[in-house]
């Protein structure tokens, strides 16, 4: 009795087991691709948050700069210290 290969036998032999691949060096697996896409979106979100934070700080500097020296004195801020006051949570000078 001779065994004849069917199309399903041939296909089944080509499907790799879990965690295995047919190619000797896979360039990109689905899990790795999804991880890279996720990292891309995370970096994009971080950049948008930084841009929004920078814009709000620039707005705060402009608002304080537009105030009179008397208003700033009432707030306890010198005109030369406006940038330091706005960015004091990021660096200590």
């Amino acid at each position: 009795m001779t065994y004849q290969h069917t199309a399903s036998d041939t296909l089944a032999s080509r499907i790799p087991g879990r965690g295995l691949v047919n190619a000797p060096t896979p360039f990109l697996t689905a899990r790795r691709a999804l991880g890279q896409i996720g990292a891309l979106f995370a970096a994009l979100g971080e950049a948008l948050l930084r841009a929004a934070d920078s814009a709000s700080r620039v707005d705060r500097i402009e608002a304080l700069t537009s105030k009179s020296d008397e208003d700033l004195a009432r707030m306890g801020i010198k005109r030369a210290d406006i940038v330091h006051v706005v960015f004091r949570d990021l660096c200590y000078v």
Side-chain angles (χ1 to χ4, degrees):
M1 176 185 240
T2 310
Y3 180 74
Q4 292 181 340
H5 293 285
T6 62
S8 62
D9 290 336
T10 307
L11 178 64
S13 66
R14 291 184 183 177
I15 297 174
R18 184 180 178 111
L20 302 175
V21 293
N22 279 339
T25 55
F27 293 109
L28 197 62
T29 62
R31 185 180 303 257
R32 185 172 172 205
L34 288 175
Q36 289 179 346
I37 291 170
L40 173 71
F41 281 115
L44 182 61
E46 181 73 24
L48 289 173
L49 288 175
R50 286 186 185 189
D53 184 49
S54 295
S56 68
R57 288 178 192 267
V58 169
D59 291 343
R60 178 122 192 258
I61 290 172
E62 288 175 354
L64 288 173
T65 303
S66 67
K67 292 188 180 294
S68 67
D69 289 335
E70 293 80 24
D71 291 337
L72 291 173
R74 272 186 255 130
M75 296 172 70
I77 302 172
K78 296 179 193 172
R79 188 164 296 281
D81 295 336
I82 290 175
V83 174
H84 175 70
V85 168
V86 173
F87 287 96
R88 68 178 156 220
D89 63 325
L90 293 180
C91 62
Y92 177 76
V93 180

